[in-house]
Amino acid sequence: EADIYQTPRYLVIGTGKKITLECSQTMGHDKMYWYQQDPGMELHLIHYSYGVNSTEKGDLSSESTVSRIRTEHFPLTLESARPSHTSQYLCASSETDRDGNTIYFGEGSWLTVV
Amino acid sequence: KNQVEQSPQSLIILEGKNCTLQCNYTVSPFSNLRWYKQDTGRGPVSLTIMTFSENTKSNGRYTATLDADTKQSSLHITASQLSDSASYICVVSDRGSTLGRLYFGRGTQLTVWP
């Protein structure tokens, strides 16, 4: 059972609002990730982190930003939401050094921007 | 171009029957291949991880095979249950970067009918 948690699970907000999706893990993992997934489509990496104060952009361009002030916490922020941001956002974490480590996913945050 | 292709896109089987899902990849240099199960509206859950030297791995009723020469993998589900209804995602990791970049397939949507 993975100890990685996302809140909120579901969110409907208006265009132009600022939102933060929370992600926390209690496994002490250094690596954390944010993926975006549209229904029936593959996951796309939008942000990742190797550890505290480390953040990098992923393969899919995103207007969101992330921070990693504590090992266990990796929030994602949209300063001004738009309908094109409507999607599912999945947070994940893994251990750092060994090849083939399991990546644990949170339950996801479904965002709808109206 | 590194890609992961899964087939079939969707599959319907009767409870108790067996089925096999396919994954072909072009990712190089290859590091490992993972199968995940994703229930509707939930985050993916790891089923198996295989490295280059492994050609089969089981997890209960799930058995994954890997042929690194032909770059093919399969996931065999035995004696299917209603709870097996989900999307099954093939994920291939490369050795080309520190991150161990992940390439996701779009998944096979399995429906098990009573």
Side-chain angles (χ1 to χ4, degrees), chain A residues 12-67:
Chain A
V12 180
I13 62 170
T15 298
K17 298 293 185 183
K18 176 181 178 179
I19 61 132
T20 296
L21 304 180
E22 302 288 350
C23 177
S24 296
Q25 50 94 7
T26 57
M27 297 173 282
H29 289 166
D30 288 322
K31 281 186 179 177
M32 294 190 75
Y33 318 80
W34 275 103
Y35 289 91
Q36 185 174 341
Q37 183 184 30
D38 293 324
M41 303 297 286
E42 64 266 49
L43 280 73
H44 292 285
L45 181 68
I46 52 175
H47 298 282
Y48 62 95
S49 168
Y50 289 125
V52 171
N53 294 325
S54 153
T55 62
E56 302 287 344
K57 288 190 177 296
D59 307 316
L60 183 67
S61 175
S62 174
E63 294 164 344
S64 59
T65 59
V66 293
S67 62

Side-chain angles (χ1 to χ4, degrees), chain B residues 13-25:
Chain B
I13 62 172
L14 295 176
E15 186 178 14
K17 297 297 185 182
N18 304 335
C19 67
T20 300
L21 314 180
Q22 300 291 342
C23 174
N24 295 336
Y25 63 91

Side-chain angles (χ1 to χ4, degrees), chain A residues 9-10 31 33 35 37 40-45 48 50 59 88 90 99-108 110, chain B residues 9 31-32 34 36 38 40-46 49 51 89 93-95 97-102 104-106:
Chain A
R9 288 291 319 280
Y10 304 94
K31 281 186 179 177
Y33 318 80
Y35 289 91
Q37 183 184 30
M41 303 297 286
E42 64 266 49
L43 280 73
H44 292 285
L45 181 68
Y48 62 95
Y50 289 125
D59 307 316
Q88 181 185 29
L90 287 159
D99 189 33
N101 282 322
T102 296
I103 296 176
Y104 297 92
F105 286 87
E107 295 286 9
W110 285 94
Chain B
Q9 185 175 1
S31 176
N32 58 71
R34 313 160 194 251
Y36 279 84
Q38 185 176 22
T40 301
R42 311 290 292 273
V45 175
S46 178
I49 302 175
T51 58
I89 303 172
S93 177
D94 71 7
R95 289 187 180 275
S97 65
T98 304
L99 178 63
R101 181 175 169 169
L102 301 178
F104 289 82
R106 292 190 174 184

Side-chain angles (χ1 to χ4, degrees), chain B residues 9 16 22 26 38 44 70 72 91 113-114:
Chain B
Q9 185 175 1
Q22 300 291 342
T26 59
Q38 185 176 22
T70 61
Q72 296 179 327
V91 185
W113 282 2

Side-chain angles (χ1 to χ4, degrees), chain B residues 11-80:
Chain B
L11 180 63
I12 300 174
I13 62 172
L14 295 176
E15 186 178 14
K17 297 297 185 182
N18 304 335
C19 67
T20 300
L21 314 180
Q22 300 291 342
C23 174
N24 295 336
Y25 63 91
T26 59
V27 176
S28 180
F30 174 84
S31 176
N32 58 71
L33 185 146
R34 313 160 194 251
W35 283 95
Y36 279 84
K37 177 187 179 188
Q38 185 176 22
D39 292 320
T40 301
R42 311 290 292 273
V45 175
S46 178
L47 295 175
T48 62
I49 302 175
M50 288 182 292
T51 58
F52 186 88
S53 60
E54 297 173 294
N55 55 24
T56 187
K57 184 163 282 189
S58 293
N59 178 359
R61 294 180 296 103
Y62 302 101
T63 300
T65 65
L66 173 65
D67 186 334
D69 292 330
T70 61
K71 298 187 176 181
Q72 296 179 327
S73 176
S74 65
L75 179 69
H76 186 74
I77 304 175
T78 303
S80 61

